[in-house]
Amino acid sequence: MSVILDNATAPFDRLTPEEAESLRGAMDIAYFRPNETIVAEGAAPEGLYIVIKGCIEEREQGELVGLLGPKDFFDSRAVVQGVGVSGFTAREETLCALAPRADVLRLINSNPRFGAFFYSDISRKLEALAQKDESSQIESMMRARVRDLYLMPAAIIDSFQSIASAGRIMRDIDCNALLVRDGERTGIVTGMNLSKAVVLKGMTIEEPVKSLAQFDLVTVEPDDFVSQVLLLMTKYNKRRIVVKEGDLYVGILEDINVLSFFAGNSQLVVGRIDRASTLTELSAAARQIAEQVRPLRRQGVKFEVVAEIISDLNRRLFAKLFDLLCPPEMRDKACLIVMGSEGRGEQTIRTDQDNGLILSEPVDEAALNRFREQFSAALAEFGFPPCPGHVMVDNPLWSRTIAEYMSDFRSWTTTPDEQSSMNIAIFFDAEAVAGDASLLARAKKDLVEKIANERVCLARFAKAIEAFEPPIGLFNTLKTAEGEGDALDLKKGGIFPIVHGVRSLAIEQGLEETNTFKRLAKLAELGMIKEDFARDLARALDYLMTIRLDAQIDAAKSASLLKPATLTSMDRDLLRDSFQIVKQLRELVRRRFNLHMF
């Protein structure tokens, strides 16, 4: 019996038309009554089931781990391995398409892209998904509308106003174009028009702008597609198009805004940061940084790239703030550092401040205190909340001379307590963003040398990897906490163990890299871990951070809790694979540092 097969849904979008038709012809329809068992736990499946209508419960050891609806499929792992872990039961009247196991296995073996969705190797699965995401990224951008783009303000001046007035308005609103009203018609004048009029044509700055304006405006509406804008700009040879909503002018769309939408408009933010000469101007740029994450993810940009862009923008912001506030007599004697996820370059959603200051020698106490207070207060005003642990410039413990830091390194490495280990982790992830970077390099070198001579301290430091168990059971089941609403904590169960396990290996080797992905690459290069395992760890970390980021964007908060029941069957499989990789890293760290002794 031939059934409908959705070629746009993973993994069937990887099939050729001939393969899809062949599979479609082999499939059959199955009907299940409410509460009827479709596949029992531990049973061998007949094939791959695709839900057409209804709802199916997925249970592991009796616990509900997911609800499957139309277009979901199960059980891909069991199809490959011949036996499943989960059980599947119809919650209501349900129709499923059944692709026979023999036919699915034949396609897995003959079509690597299709088979990647069934491999146990997480890297191959995620690589296949990444290729799909790149295609989707282009499609989503071409479906984007004008309202999704950054618009310059649609400021209007009268045609009799002077060139000087137009220049002042452009400066005040930080825009290079103005609309010009001349009776019933409206035109546009640019900063380049003003410059050429005065420099090349010898016009005075008191002459009216009417003679400089161009009145052949090309307009679009907010709901028009971006692709239409590109066509209009090309057709009429325009660098600027005016956006109207009815009779109201709502903005000016420049070609750079359209191009930056496809490449990300972070470069525009860089320019605004560099041009800022006051805290008010810098605050406006800071708000734009936070606005970069959503469009970047909407365009399908990978987490690692998003984090790199946002971290670079934040560091530019901090460096500019340092330049604006730091007393001249202190600048050559200070190094501004960022720590935590900001130091590792892995922060996207804005969290609390993690920064400090290293001084080459004592400075005027009053000037230092004034800088400390102003710097942290400005960041709070920019939207960076104070750190709960007070790891901030305005805390004298994280804003002092290099000699004082080095003195504390001795106590950190010889005192076996949680706070000392935390301080080591915080400082080892530090990155210099302004001032004399050699101060941080010297301090880190001293810390690494001290901890290298304290193997017990290093082992206690690494032991933090055991603070949280990966939320996965003996039979590859996802473990949720009832007290957390049947959710699991991505950060505690997956992200932190990878970050800290890699950090422990990195500090043992004295690596200079701070980013976890770069540390992994270096550890593999040194032969500390196998290349395949390093790649799997990087893929797992990127996946966990990506789904956490997407959940944060949807929830507009930084929570790490995730309900597996809300994921697709594919994502639950990838989540299990990721946590298995975490378990392997924990075991490697245990053996490396003899953690069984503690």
Side-chain angles (χ1 to χ4, degrees), residues 359-525:
L359 299 168
S360 60
E361 60 186 52
V363 297
D364 180 74
E365 194 67 23
L368 176 59
N369 286 335
R370 187 162 52 250
F371 170 76
R372 286 168 172 163
E373 181 181 342
Q374 291 176 345
F375 187 88
S376 295
L379 284 183
E381 180 67 25
F382 292 173
F384 295 86
C387 171
H390 208 187
V391 182
M392 299 163 55
V393 163
D394 70 351
N395 181 353
L397 292 177
W398 292 99
S399 177
R400 51 189 173 155
T401 66
I402 187 171
E404 290 171 318
Y405 274 109
M406 290 179 175
S407 176
D408 267 4
F409 292 165
R410 173 58 63 190
S411 62
W412 292 358
T413 54
T414 56
T415 305
D417 60 29
E418 186 176 318
Q419 187 60 52
S420 293
S421 292
M422 185 181 300
N423 289 341
I424 292 171
I426 290 170
F427 198 88
F428 188 62
D429 287 346
E431 189 78 15
V433 295
D436 184 0
S438 68
L439 292 172
L440 176 61
R442 284 170 52 199
K444 274 197 178 184
K445 183 174 183 293
D446 184 74
L447 174 62
V448 169
E449 288 175 351
K450 283 185 168 69
I451 202 169
N453 296 323
E454 299 288 346
R455 293 297 299 180
V456 173
C457 171
L458 188 55
R460 292 187 182 278
F461 176 79
K463 190 171 175 59
I465 198 174
E466 297 183 331
F468 310 106
E469 285 287 336
I472 190 164
L474 181 63
F475 300 102
N476 211 36
T477 57
L478 292 173
K479 296 165 59 178
T480 59
E482 293 184 5
E484 301 290 0
D486 291 327
L488 51 82
D489 195 313
L490 291 172
K491 183 176 181 180
K492 291 181 178 179
I495 295 172
F496 172 78
I498 295 178
V499 170
H500 189 69
V502 172
R503 178 167 50 209
S504 299
L505 295 169
I507 199 169
E508 181 195 32
Q509 298 301 308
L511 301 188
E512 296 180 359
E513 290 79 5
T514 55
N515 178 267
T516 303
F517 297 99
K518 292 179 180 178
R519 284 173 174 171
L520 272 169
K522 189 66 176 179
L523 289 169
E525 181 184 323

Side-chain angles (χ1 to χ4, degrees), residues 33 210 299 301:
R33 298 182 301 276
K210 177 179 178 178
Q299 295 171 30
V301 179

Side-chain angles (χ1 to χ4, degrees), residues 169-310:
I169 294 173
M170 289 182 187
R171 179 198 61 198
D172 292 342
I173 65 173
D174 192 22
C175 179
N176 197 42
L178 296 175
L179 296 180
V180 180
R181 184 187 293 112
D182 184 48
E184 296 297 318
R185 62 177 184 166
T186 302
I188 190 170
V189 65
T190 69
M192 184 61 71
N193 296 147
L194 302 184
S195 299
K196 286 183 176 181
V198 175
V199 177
L200 300 181
K201 297 181 181 180
M203 296 175 64
T204 70
I205 61 174
E206 299 304 323
E207 293 189 47
V209 296
K210 177 179 178 178
S211 61
L212 307 179
Q214 302 173 37
F215 291 94
D216 55 342
L217 293 183
V218 176
T219 63
V220 294
E221 297 185 353
D223 283 329
D224 286 342
F225 288 108
V226 175
S227 55
Q228 178 67 15
V229 173
L230 288 172
L231 290 175
L232 289 173
M233 284 183 166
T234 302
K235 181 179 180 179
Y236 295 105
N237 192 26
K238 294 291 184 181
R239 292 190 58 196
R240 296 171 182 82
I241 284 183
V242 179
V243 183
K244 289 185 70 175
E245 194 161 19
D247 294 328
L248 180 66
Y249 292 99
V250 297
I252 298 173
L253 183 57
E254 296 189 337
D255 54 359
I256 187 66
N257 302 131
V258 179
L259 294 174
S260 66
F261 175 78
F262 291 97
N265 62 2
S266 57
Q267 195 59 38
L268 298 178
V269 184
V270 170
R272 173 158 280 191
I273 292 173
D274 291 344
R275 292 193 303 271
S277 59
T278 66
L279 293 183
T280 300
E281 292 174 351
L282 201 56
S283 178
R287 288 193 296 273
Q288 285 190 318
I289 294 175
E291 295 166 1
Q292 300 300 303
V293 177
R294 188 182 297 272
L296 285 170
R297 279 301 299 151
R298 177 193 60 211
Q299 295 171 30
V301 179
K302 290 176 58 179
F303 168 85
E304 189 176 353
V305 178
V306 174
E308 186 175 356
I309 291 172
I310 299 303

